[in-house]
Amino acid sequence: STWPIPRGARFVYDPKGTQATCSAQGFFMQFAVATPLYNMFLSLYYLLSIRYRWRESDLKKLEWVAHLISIGFAVVTSFVLLILKQYNSSLLWCGIASKPINCKGSYRNNGINDCERGNNAWIFRFAFYYVPIWVALIGATFAMFMTHQGVNMREKASLKWATTLVDGNRRTLTRNIRRLRHSQSVKAQAIWYLMAFFISFLPGSLAQWFRASNGKLFYGGFLFVAIVSPMQGFF
């Protein structure tokens, strides 16, 4: 929502907030980075339990690691950005952004900070938000791929030795007679799981990459992010 954005902000529809409400919204937006990290660890949990058959006691240890990294990273970065005054209007909502929106920051301006707030915000945006999301996307994709491969190989091995009696004769079941139903089910579930993940987070990453490399907003990507990002719970 644009309501928490301070009144009078340029290029924003109907802002009604203050800097305090903007910082609060930005804080919780950054804290939400824990979500893709948890999704990555959930994919890793499936991989270790299904393919490698980890014991429940070992998986409990992984659970604590997942909590520590996901929540710990979200809490630390949220407070660091708050202290550095990085939460400002990013046009759609308050997040990691510079004020004014078109200032360069000291890194791109020969060491001179021309921003009121959010100096070098684009660096923090990528380091604290988008890079963790990319790591989570790649990690989850790899884990789900390996899980499917493990189920597929196990099912092929079992079908190779499976036998049935047909008219009193022993016949070996081949892969051409019976589909690998379980592995196909795992594959479909993995695709749907990852699709929701990619739809929720990849468009924003690409839009910000385009903006950082060209210094311009890609309107189509910007509009898509405005529609998709609030729907993460739906996916």
Side-chain angles (χ1 to χ4, degrees), residues 40-54 59 62 139-151 153-154 186:
M40 179 186 68
F41 279 110
L42 184 60
S43 301
L44 182 60
Y45 176 91
Y46 293 147
L47 173 63
L48 296 177
S49 61
I50 295 174
R51 177 165 183 169
Y52 296 107
R53 300 183 179 182
W54 275 31
L59 291 172
L62 175 65
T141 302
F142 175 78
M144 296 305 286
F145 173 78
M146 293 296 291
T147 301
H148 168 257
Q149 288 294 98
V151 173
M153 288 188 296
R154 190 179 302 167
V186 171

Side-chain angles (χ1 to χ4, degrees), residues 13 18 51 89 133-135 142 163 169 183 188 190 204 213 216 232 235:
Y13 173 75
T18 64
R51 177 165 183 169
S89 169
I133 287 177
W134 296 338
V135 170
F142 175 78
T163 58
N169 298 319
S183 61
S213 59
K216 299 178 181 179
Q232 291 179 22
F235 294 120

Side-chain angles (χ1 to χ4, degrees), residues 49 61 63 129 131 155 172 190:
S49 61
K61 298 176 183 178
E63 183 178 344
Y129 190 77
V131 168
E155 195 168 43
T172 302

Side-chain angles (χ1 to χ4, degrees), residues 8-33:
R10 300 180 61 192
F11 314 116
V12 178
Y13 173 75
D14 199 25
K16 295 182 179 296
T18 64
Q19 185 57 57
T21 60
C22 187
S23 295
Q25 185 186 39
F27 182 93
F28 288 109
M29 291 285 289
Q30 174 60 27
F31 193 85
V33 76

